[in-house]
Amino acid sequence: MRIARQPRPESELRIGDHYQAFPRQKEFHLSRAKYRLFGGAAGPGKTKALLWEAIGQATTTAGCDTLLLRRTYPELESSLLAYFRRDVPRKFYKSYNESKHVVTWNNGSTTRFGYCRNESDVYQYQGAEFLFIGLDELTHFTLKQWQFLTSRNRCPIPGSRPSMAGATNPGNIGHAWVKALWVDQTPPPGFERPEHYNPRDYDFIRARLSDNPIYANDAEYRRTLEALPEHLRRAFLEGDWNVFAGQYFDVFDIGRHTARPEDLRLEPWWPRWISIDWGFHHPSAVYWHCAVPGAANSRQPTAMGVAHSSQPTANSRTNSWESSSSSSSPVGCQLSAVSSRIITYREFVQAGLSPRMLAQGIAERSGRERISEVFLSPDAFAHRTAEASIAEQLGDVLTANGLPRPTAADDDRIGGWQLMYQLLESDAWLITDHCAKLIEGLPQLVRDDRRVEDIRKMDGDDAADAARYGLVSGARLAGLGCVGAGFSPSAAIPSGGPPGFGGSDVGARFSASPPRFVHGMPLGEQIARQVSAQEPTSQAIHYQRLESEARRQFRPARLPRRRG
């Protein structure tokens, strides 16, 4: 008697009805590697492939759990959730919980959509088990987040094969570690137990725009990518992973260095100032800064208007810039109270504005805030028109609206970049979500090959330049002292400054023991022996600090004054 073949599961048939994978997407789905990376250029269908991989695994393994992540909720809403609502028919699943963003499939499996804005948000999944974990835009995540999530990638169902995957373009804060694991096939710095790294576990499915038939012949979209700044064009159009080599602000982290404006309470009497990078064909970039005194930093989070939860989750944000006594997460930024912090809380970036129009826009956005000073890029003080200099035109409108006339900002590039790096490293600089261009641009800045202490000039660096003017020139308003080419943190945080500001806490972080120098040995060799940093940017900062200390130590003693 002939035995009839069992029909394929209904869910398996439906996937083919609603998702036809492109050849490169099929290669991604068929890979048996434990950790897959589907990435490279923009447009090959990475996010969609990640979504349907999770759906495929959930619907073929009854009773399992799967997880899809983005770094922030707005990104999750506009990508994975948008694809799910648009492409997955309602009859395909049993239920969807809107508040928890959990899909329950017809076989009892689930897919959870989540986000991990803060470093410690991954701990909301502690104790959970996921057959599949997918991270969209993987380079937005940190290595610590990835490595913790690998411990959640397990499934007790017999015959199951737990795996993880990322989809991403080159660039952003995680570029270096993602490139190391999948492109260079080597454990990156900070990788725990590097002796256990097995390159066969990591499969990189390189994808380009031409791999997506929808966009391959879209001349308009290709022209859009070709018009991007050089570094972004090479990353998004060609999928070039070498374009972001030498990332300068490798310490920058969204969850650690940014905050929602509604979580902050900036008192009206705290010092505020504005920094401007003038441009016409290139965008003008304007930032508003506020100095938060040490007394406010050392209080409980409620002093800053932030609710604190002992269980860090994606929906209850842990503010890593608060004092360590208020944090209960196992990792993340554990801080002691610093003397004062600078908060960059407002952004205005626009091209094609005349000086007077720009000044009017600044005045309207400032409202009735008490602004102490306005720092403007020095080139704006040159006379470019017959009427007046750009600085004079800006000043006329600003003063008419009760704001200070601009003064020339300190344009020490190397000292300024080093200060920004050190403020980020010591959690003394916080940026609100209103400053989208600055948050987007900082991870994309790379070191200049010809001068490693400097940043390579590129299109789109206007926001970083404006922020640098504000931090360097406005540092004294926050009690952070003056910064020069020989800037050292221990000297830059004096006890002076406005009442309630200043102190030496930040400087103490960088100088646990004083440097020592002796006569009779080449100074360069002495400095090289005492540089303890491993990363090139930190090495350059440490070298300059030691060099400055050596000059101070070997300075000839003054002769006593003659009397009479």
Side-chain angles (χ1 to χ4, degrees):
M1 184 177 69
R2 186 177 180 181
I3 301 175
R5 289 176 57 190
Q6 293 291 324
R8 296 170 67 192
E10 185 182 2
S11 60
E12 204 173 309
L13 295 173
R14 288 176 179 170
I15 287 182
D17 292 340
H18 299 283
Y19 172 59
Q20 289 79 41
F22 307 139
R24 194 64 80 181
Q25 291 173 326
K26 286 181 181 178
E27 183 181 344
F28 167 73
H29 295 305
L30 292 174
S31 172
R32 303 289 284 175
K34 185 170 179 60
Y35 306 119
R36 289 167 285 168
L37 179 67
F38 188 28
K46 301 184 296 294
T47 301
K48 196 168 186 177
L50 201 65
L51 171 65
W52 283 100
E53 177 68 20
I55 294 174
Q57 295 213 28
T59 54
T60 55
T61 305
C64 74
D65 297 311
T66 58
L67 176 65
L68 290 171
L69 294 172
R70 280 295 298 256
R71 187 65 198 260
T72 68
Y73 179 72
E75 293 168 343
L76 177 70
E77 182 69 37
S78 63
S79 58
L80 289 165
L81 283 175
Y83 279 120
F84 167 72
R85 292 173 180 137
R86 185 191 68 189
D87 298 338
V88 182
R90 177 62 186 84
K91 62 181 180 179
F92 200 69
Y93 53 91
K94 184 183 298 183
S95 64
Y96 172 60
N97 188 312
E98 280 282 356
S99 61
K100 295 182 178 179
H101 305 298
V102 177
V103 184
T104 301
W105 305 100
N106 293 327
N107 64 354
S109 295
T110 67
T111 297
R112 178 182 297 272
F113 295 90
Y115 62 102
C116 295
R117 170 150 199 155
N118 300 301
E119 182 88 7
S120 59
D121 284 346
V122 292
Y123 288 94
Q124 67 185 296
Y125 304 114
Q126 191 162 351
E129 297 177 324
F130 298 103
L131 172 65
F132 174 75
I133 301 176
L135 292 84
D136 195 17
E137 294 302 343
L138 180 59
T139 56
H140 290 201
F141 292 81
T142 67
L143 176 60
K144 286 184 178 179
Q145 289 177 316
W146 167 266
Q147 288 204 278
F148 176 80
L149 289 170
T150 61
S151 70
R152 305 298 94 206
N153 185 215
R154 61 192 187 194
C155 183
I157 299 173
S160 61
R161 286 177 55 89
S163 65
M164 294 176 63
T168 196
N169 302 120
N172 222 290
I173 58 171
H175 175 89
W177 72 264
V178 172
K179 180 176 182 288
L181 286 177
W182 279 276
V183 183
D184 301 333
Q185 296 276 281
T186 184
F191 189 84
E192 295 182 9
R193 309 293 294 275
E195 66 275 9
H196 290 173
Y197 174 77
N198 185 352
R200 289 176 294 182
D201 289 339
Y202 296 81
D203 187 13
F204 176 36
I205 296 90
R206 187 184 297 273
R208 294 184 172 85
L209 181 68
S210 57
D211 293 318
N212 186 337
I214 297 175
Y215 294 122
N217 300 315
D218 189 337
E220 188 63 32
Y221 184 54
R222 177 173 286 274
R223 277 196 299 269
T224 299
L225 294 179
E226 288 175 343
L228 290 171
E230 175 66 14
H231 64 294
L232 293 180
R233 183 189 67 77
R234 288 171 56 193
F236 293 163
L237 183 60
E238 302 169 14
D240 187 347
W241 282 87
N242 293 317
V243 69
F244 286 100
Q247 181 186 41
Y248 193 96
F249 293 109
D250 55 354
V251 297
F252 178 74
D253 179 76
I254 291 175
R256 174 181 171 187
H257 296 117
T258 69
R260 290 187 292 257
E262 59 269 24
D263 287 343
L264 306 177
R265 188 178 72 221
L266 304 181
E267 302 294 355
W269 56 85
W270 290 346
R272 298 174 188 240
W273 64 98
I274 294 172
S275 58
I276 308 170
D277 182 44
W278 158 256
F280 185 78
H281 297 296
H282 287 281
S284 291
V286 186
Y287 289 96
W288 283 254
H289 313 271
C290 179
V292 180
N297 285 323
S298 60
R299 297 175 198 155
Q300 291 299 313
T302 52
M304 294 296 295
V306 183
H308 177 72
S309 170
S310 60
Q311 297 296 327
T313 68
N315 294 318
S316 61
R317 177 174 178 167
T318 304
N319 290 277
S320 59
W321 49 275
E322 293 158 5
S323 65
S324 60
S325 60
S326 66
S327 175
S328 60
S329 57
V331 297
C333 181
Q334 301 295 327
L335 301 177
S336 60
V338 299
S339 56
S340 61
R341 290 185 175 91
I342 295 175
I343 295 180
T344 301
Y345 63 92
R346 185 180 296 133
E347 176 182 81
F348 178 29
V349 179
Q350 189 170 332
L353 293 179
S354 70
R356 298 184 186 278
M357 292 172 62
L358 177 63
Q360 191 59 45
I362 293 171
E364 291 171 358
R365 287 163 175 78
S366 298
R368 302 182 65 180
E369 292 176 352
R370 187 172 64 184
I371 303 298
S372 302
E373 292 195 52
V374 176
F375 299 104
L376 176 62
S377 47
D379 62 323
F381 288 82
H383 285 265
R384 298 184 182 179
T385 67
E387 179 188 1
S389 70
I390 291 165
E392 290 169 341
Q393 296 177 60
L394 279 165
D396 291 342
V397 178
L398 292 177
T399 54
N401 286 273
L403 294 171
R405 187 171 289 275
T407 58
D410 187 324
D411 196 21
D412 174 16
R413 287 179 59 86
I414 293 177
W417 300 132
Q418 290 180 0
L419 173 64
M420 291 170 69
Y421 189 97
Q422 291 171 349
L423 291 178
L424 289 170
E425 194 170 40
S426 61
D427 296 282
W429 179 30
L430 190 71
I431 308 168
T432 72
D433 292 348
H434 285 330
C435 306
K437 295 289 185 184
L438 181 59
I439 294 171
E440 177 186 351
L442 282 177
Q444 298 176 2
L445 299 175
V446 296
R447 288 185 294 273
D448 192 326
D449 294 335
R450 295 167 296 181
R451 198 179 188 191
V452 70
E453 299 91 350
D454 200 1
I455 285 177
R456 187 174 71 205
K457 293 185 71 66
M458 61 180 69
D459 291 336
D461 61 3
D462 316 274
D465 281 331
R468 172 169 55 86
Y469 295 146
L471 295 179
V472 177
S473 301
R476 59 181 174 78
L477 298 173
L480 298 182
C482 297
V483 181
F487 168 71
S488 70
S490 58
I493 316 293
S495 58
F501 295 79
S504 57
D505 301 36
V506 177
R509 296 166 189 257
F510 296 87
S511 53
S513 59
R516 303 183 65 178
F517 303 97
V518 297
H519 292 279
M521 179 179 180
L523 184 59
E525 185 177 340
Q526 292 188 59
I527 292 175
R529 288 187 176 189
Q530 297 185 64
V531 171
S532 58
Q534 300 297 319
E535 198 276 327
T537 302
S538 299
Q539 285 179 344
I541 293 171
H542 198 179
Y543 193 96
Q544 278 208 345
R545 182 174 68 80
L546 291 168
E547 194 174 44
S548 177
E549 183 64 30
R551 284 197 301 266
R552 188 160 46 248
Q553 182 171 324
F554 291 128
R555 184 180 301 149
R558 292 183 179 180
L559 294 173
R561 279 185 165 182
R562 295 180 61 184
R563 298 194 179 188

